[in-house]
């Protein structure tokens, strides 16, 4: 088992960096650490690391990779050996603020980056005069789609050290969605099963401090005429308990703002919460409101780590 500290950052593809900067930084309030060529590096107000969200200029939307921080540098050597023993292709990788990292794909084809040391630039938690938009606090979790959920789950439990907090079963009692954590949040990763358009990335989520910040997000977008970017919510999930809002950027990448979920205090005592198919309505939205069709059927492709090009979806 690799000693993972936390889900660290996400690199997503955008077609226009200026429009993406306007959406994420000027409107929603992400802190811009710097722009470097075809990349913009953003973070939340309480994140001291160089970045937690990378906007990468590309010709279409998609996920470049999900980053995870390990507990010490030696874990990277351990991870490389173990991954290669498991048959994974592993690449050495560097990005702005990180000199040494490993890039590989999960069993179901999700690009994953492991690193230990990222440049530290300091947080803005008490610099209230610099908080803007919804004041994103920190990366909370990621959500993606795979064909073989059991295979992916086994990898994250055995190799990455995550454990289940909640799960959802379909009408036949088969596992359809699982929520996982490493540090004890309600979840840091959600993985869903799909028979088509996989592997796919559904969304990244940022924690905010207050429900009013969740509500502020659609207020901000509506005030500049971006009504079509407001996809779902505000609402409250039954699973994980959090209040939420889902938004789409100009390329249809999806982002969620989220607050007031629970914390697992005693992992050794925790038993995963099981949601059955007849509980779907309030599992997804505790108030019983319908889910937009776009949320159920639309997500973005992921990159191939060898080529940097988007993978085709398996049907």
């Amino acid at each position: 088992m690799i000693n993972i500290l936390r889900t660290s950052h996400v690199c997503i593809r955008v077609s226009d960096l200026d429009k993406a900067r306007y959406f994420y930084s000027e409107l929603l309030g992400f802190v811009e650490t710097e722009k470097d060529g075809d990349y913009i590096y953003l973070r939340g107000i309480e994140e001291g690391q160089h970045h937690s969200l990378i906007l990468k200029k590309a010709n279409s939307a998609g996920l470049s990779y999900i980053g995870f921080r390990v507990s010490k540098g030696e874990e990277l050597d351990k991870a490389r050996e173990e991954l290669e023993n498991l048959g994974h292709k592993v690449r050495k990788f560097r990005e702005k603020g990180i000199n040494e990292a490993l890039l590989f794909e999960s069993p179901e084809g999700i690009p994953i980056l492991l690193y230990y040391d990222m440049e530290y630039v300091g947080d803005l938690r008490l610099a209230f005069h610099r908080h803007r938009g919804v004041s994103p606090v920190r990366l909370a979790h990621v959500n993606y789609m795979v064909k073989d959920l059991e295979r992916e789950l086994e990898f994250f439990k055995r190799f990455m050290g995550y454990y289940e907090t909640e799960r959802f079963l379909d009408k036949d009692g088969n596992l359809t969605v699982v929520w996982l954590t490493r540090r004890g949040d309600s979840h840091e990763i959600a993985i869903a099963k799909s028979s088509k358009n996989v592997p796919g990335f559904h969304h990244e989520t940022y924690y905010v401090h207050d429900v009013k910040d969740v509500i502020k997000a659609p207020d901000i977008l509506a005030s500049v005429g971006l009504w079509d970017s407001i996809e779902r919510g505000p609402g409250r999930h039954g699973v994980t308990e959090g209040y939420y809002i889902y938004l789409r950027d100009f390329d249809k990448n999806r982002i969620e703002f989220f607050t007031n979920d629970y914390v697992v205090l005693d992992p050794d005592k925790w038993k995963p919460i099981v949601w059955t198919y007849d509980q779907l309505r309030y599992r997804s939205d505790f108030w019983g409101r319908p889910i937009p069709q776009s949320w159920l059927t639309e997500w973005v492709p992921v990159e191939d780590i060898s080529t940097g090009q988007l993978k085709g979806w398996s049907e």
Side-chain angles (χ1 to χ4, degrees):
M1 184 184 298
I2 302 305
N3 192 356
I4 303 290
L5 285 179
R6 61 189 177 89
T7 308
S8 165
H9 61 290
V10 177
C11 180
I12 63 170
R13 298 160 51 101
V14 297
S15 61
D16 188 314
L17 283 177
D18 289 334
K19 291 177 70 174
R21 172 191 270 147
Y22 171 67
F23 185 85
Y24 287 97
S25 183
E26 294 183 32
L27 294 180
L28 297 179
F30 280 88
V31 180
E32 181 176 333
T33 305
E34 66 175 298
K35 180 182 184 298
D36 184 37
D38 288 339
Y39 297 85
I40 295 178
Y41 299 88
L42 306 174
R43 67 190 196 276
I45 59 173
E46 293 191 3
E47 293 177 313
Q49 67 191 53
H50 184 271
H51 56 267
S52 63
L53 179 62
I54 306 173
L55 307 177
K56 172 185 175 181
K57 183 172 173 44
N59 57 13
S60 61
L63 171 73
S64 186
Y65 52 82
I66 303 169
F68 297 82
R69 188 181 182 211
V70 300
S71 62
K72 54 186 177 181
E74 292 81 0
E75 291 292 309
L76 293 179
D77 294 330
K78 178 182 174 183
R80 184 181 189 111
E81 180 179 353
E82 292 295 329
L83 285 164
E84 290 178 341
N85 287 340
L86 291 170
H88 293 263
K89 182 178 181 179
V90 184
R91 288 183 51 205
K92 288 186 177 181
F93 191 79
R94 294 181 66 181
E95 68 178 35
K96 192 75 172 182
I98 298 177
N99 290 325
E100 183 180 3
L102 300 177
L103 189 63
F104 67 98
E105 292 180 359
S106 74
E108 288 298 291
I110 300 297
I112 291 175
L113 179 140
L114 298 181
Y115 78 97
Y116 167 60
D117 189 28
M118 182 188 290
E119 179 185 350
Y120 208 76
V121 295
D123 61 69
L124 299 182
R125 67 180 69 235
L126 293 179
F128 297 108
H129 63 293
R130 295 182 61 184
H131 296 183
R132 302 200 316 269
V134 302
S135 301
V137 174
R138 62 179 182 273
L139 180 66
H141 61 265
V142 294
N143 181 305
Y144 64 84
M145 318 296 292
V146 298
K147 184 175 183 179
D148 189 336
L149 177 55
E150 296 282 2
R151 182 179 179 219
E152 192 80 353
L153 173 60
E154 181 74 5
F155 176 80
F156 268 86
K157 290 172 76 171
R158 288 190 175 272
F159 181 76
M160 302 282 277
Y162 282 74
Y163 64 92
E164 286 185 58
T165 53
E166 309 199 28
R167 54 170 42 203
F168 174 62
L169 308 179
D170 66 14
K171 62 179 69 176
D172 298 317
N174 299 312
L175 181 63
T176 305
V177 190
V178 66
W179 290 263
L180 304 168
T181 190
R182 185 73 172 93
R183 66 187 180 199
D185 295 349
S186 67
H187 65 306
E188 295 168 71
I189 303 171
I191 312 172
K193 182 177 182 178
S194 178
S195 60
K196 61 181 182 179
N197 296 348
V198 288
F201 185 68
H202 199 274
H203 65 270
E204 75 275 355
T205 297
Y206 274 77
Y207 193 82
V208 292
H209 277 311
D210 200 290
V211 176
K212 68 181 181 182
D213 297 315
V214 170
I215 297 169
K216 190 176 182 182
D219 277 345
I220 290 171
L221 296 189
S223 70
V224 293
L226 295 179
W227 299 283
D228 290 342
S229 288
I230 305 167
E231 182 186 33
R232 179 182 172 194
R236 180 168 193 160
H237 291 307
V239 65
T240 75
E241 301 178 18
Y243 294 98
Y244 69 84
I245 184 75
Y246 292 95
L247 311 173
R248 309 288 292 272
D249 69 12
F250 292 109
D251 291 292
K252 296 300 183 182
N253 293 298
R254 181 181 288 109
I255 185 168
E256 178 190 21
F257 293 108
F258 177 85
T259 193
N260 288 4
D261 61 333
Y262 60 81
V263 173
V264 178
L265 298 178
D266 298 300
D268 60 319
K269 305 291 186 182
W270 184 264
K271 297 200 179 343
I273 300 166
V274 179
W275 296 83
T276 55
Y277 187 75
D278 61 312
Q279 298 171 312
L280 172 61
R281 183 173 182 179
Y282 61 93
R283 185 275 294 175
S284 187
D285 188 290
F286 193 63
W287 304 335
R289 296 187 301 175
I291 307 170
Q293 193 64 22
S294 62
W295 197 95
L296 295 171
T297 60
E298 296 177 12
W299 44 85
V300 296
V302 306
E303 284 185 356
D304 184 308
I305 64 168
S306 297
T307 66
Q309 303 300 310
L310 292 178
K311 294 183 177 185
W313 274 332
S314 61
E315 299 292 341

